[in-house]
């Protein structure tokens, strides 16, 4: 497989994820942007692993990245649910007070 | 162009298109579906890169786990009977400026071809899953065990944070 398009695709996914995290006014949408950025890192790891196919270091690292992403999604959604229960909104900009 | 190359570029286009859809879509449920197609396309790219185990893990963890979790979150933070939440945008200029400049910076370095090394052909008898299993329990045993502890903490933490607490009064 050609590797160069995978680098460009990974760069595109990382940039789009960053724009989503910055721009969107919804906490769940921000989580989706973070998932996109982690997937961009995964694509890069798998693409570089093609250069040394005996060792499989990149694939093992991509597994760890996936596990961390799942943990982050679970905890993030739990926090978003609790914030929604308390403030009745899932827009991060409207959650401004610290004291319950 | 061979069939393999055609499939490769087809899935590349699918992933990029889904990501761009995710950026522009208004309905948050449609955004979750775009994310799903993006993740499935990435799994197909993993298979084309000879990483079958990562592809299966991608489908199981992301398409089966994270997207379902996100859809649960969308449904639970939505008032019943109302329209799905429309996603507003804020700070569009700064976001697009940062994202675009990051993309073109990375494109510049990719096109300078500093990463070019000869690709080695995988040997025919290579057994990816067996090698990954052996590496996980020899070279990577410490991260593997720490990941186990992390998963336990996340399980307990998510249940504690999201659990229903009856109000005092």
């Amino acid at each position: 497989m050609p590797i160069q398009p995978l680098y460009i695709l990974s760069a595109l996914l990382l940039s789009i994820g960053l724009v989503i995290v910055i721009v969107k006014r919804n906490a769940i949408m921000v989580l989706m942007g973070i998932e996109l950025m982690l997937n961009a890192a995964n694509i890069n790891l798998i693409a570089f692993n093609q250069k040394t196919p005996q060792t499989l270091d990149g694939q093992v690292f991509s597994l760890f990245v996936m596990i961390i992403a799942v943990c982050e999604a679970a905890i993030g959604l739990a926090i978003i649910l609790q914030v929604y229960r308390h403030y009745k909104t899932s827009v991060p900009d409207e959650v401004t007070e610290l004291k319950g | 162009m061979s069939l393999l190359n055609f499939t490769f570029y087809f899935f590349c286009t699918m992933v990029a298109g889904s990501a761009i859809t995710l950026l522009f879509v208004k309905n948050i449920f449609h955004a979750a579906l775009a994310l799903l197609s993006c993740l499935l396309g990435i799994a197909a790219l993993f298979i084309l890169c000879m990483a079958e185990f990562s592809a299966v893990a991608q489908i199981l963890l992301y398409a089966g786990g994270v997207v379902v979790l996100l859809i649960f979150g969308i449904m639970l933070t939505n008032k019943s009977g109302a329209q799905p939440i429309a996603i507003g945008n804020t700070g569009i200029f700064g976001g697009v400026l940062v994202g675009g400049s990051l993309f073109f910076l990375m494109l510049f370095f990719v096109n300078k071809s500093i990463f070019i090394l000869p690709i080695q052909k995988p040997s025919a008898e290579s057994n990816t899953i067996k090698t990954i299993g052996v590496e996980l329990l020899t070279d990577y045993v410490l991260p593997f065990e720490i990941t186990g502890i992390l998963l336990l903490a996340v399980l307990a933490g998510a249940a504690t944070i999201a659990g229903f607490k009856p109000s005092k009064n």
Side-chain angles (χ1 to χ4, degrees):
Chain A
M1 283 298 105
I3 289 191
Q4 199 82 356
L6 285 179
Y7 298 153
I8 299 172
L9 183 72
S10 162
L12 181 74
L13 283 191
L14 188 81
S15 314
I16 290 180
L18 187 65
V19 173
I20 288 177
V21 169
I22 294 176
V23 162
K24 296 292 178 186
R25 291 187 77 239
N26 190 305
I28 295 177
M29 207 61 206
V30 172
L31 269 186
M32 288 188 199
I34 295 174
E35 299 297 330
L36 218 55
M37 292 166 83
L38 289 166
N39 266 288
N42 260 351
I43 290 179
N44 250 351
L45 285 172
I46 299 280
F48 274 108
N49 190 57
Q50 275 185 297
K51 292 182 185 297
T52 55
Q54 310 91 344
T55 57
L56 297 181
D57 285 338
Q59 297 193 23
V60 177
F61 268 106
S62 81
L63 280 180
F64 287 123
V65 172
M66 280 179 207
I67 295 169
I68 303 296
V70 171
C71 296
E72 168 260 328
I75 292 289
L77 274 174
I79 293 174
I80 290 172
L81 281 187
Q82 207 60 34
V83 164
Y84 180 77
R85 239 179 242 162
H86 196 272
Y87 291 98
K88 303 289 177 225
T89 179
S90 59
V91 178
D93 293 344
E94 292 175 9
V95 182
T96 49
E97 60 184 33
L98 279 175
K99 199 178 167 193
Chain B
M1 184 185 277
S2 68
L3 183 64
L4 202 62
N5 268 344
F6 173 76
T7 322
F8 178 74
Y9 284 110
F10 172 76
F11 282 116
C12 279
T13 322
M14 176 179 156
V15 171
S18 318
I20 293 170
T21 314
L22 187 62
L23 188 56
F24 286 111
V25 77
K26 284 289 170 210
N27 186 327
I28 192 166
F29 191 72
H30 295 171
L33 294 183
L35 184 71
L36 179 64
S37 92
C38 187
L39 297 174
L40 289 178
I42 290 173
L45 285 181
F46 284 178
I47 289 180
L48 288 175
C49 291
M50 304 290 184
E52 308 93 3
F53 189 70
S54 295
V56 173
Q58 168 96 1
I59 292 176
L60 279 178
L61 288 183
Y62 274 112
V66 171
V67 172
V68 173
L69 211 59
L70 284 173
I71 290 176
F72 270 135
I74 291 169
M75 288 175 175
L76 285 174
T77 57
N78 206 353
K79 296 181 180 62
S80 59
Q83 287 291 313
I85 317 158
I87 311 158
N89 294 326
T90 177
I92 296 176
F93 179 73
V96 171
L97 188 70
V98 170
S101 46
L102 180 68
F103 176 62
F104 284 110
L105 189 72
M106 286 190 285
L107 207 62
F108 172 72
F109 282 114
V110 166
N111 281 333
K112 276 180 79 175
S113 309
I114 49 179
F115 302 128
I116 286 186
L117 291 169
I119 296 182
Q120 302 166 17
K121 290 283 171 209
S123 51
E125 75 276 12
S126 70
N127 190 343
T128 313
I129 297 175
K130 187 180 174 189
T131 317
I132 285 183
V134 169
E135 287 207 4
L136 269 183
L137 287 180
T138 51
D139 286 349
Y140 292 97
V141 67
L142 185 64
F144 185 69
E145 297 292 337
I146 292 176
T147 309
I149 298 172
L150 175 77
L151 278 175
L152 179 68
V154 164
L155 192 66
T160 313
I161 294 173
F164 179 72
K165 299 181 192 68
S167 58
K168 295 282 190 300
N169 43 11

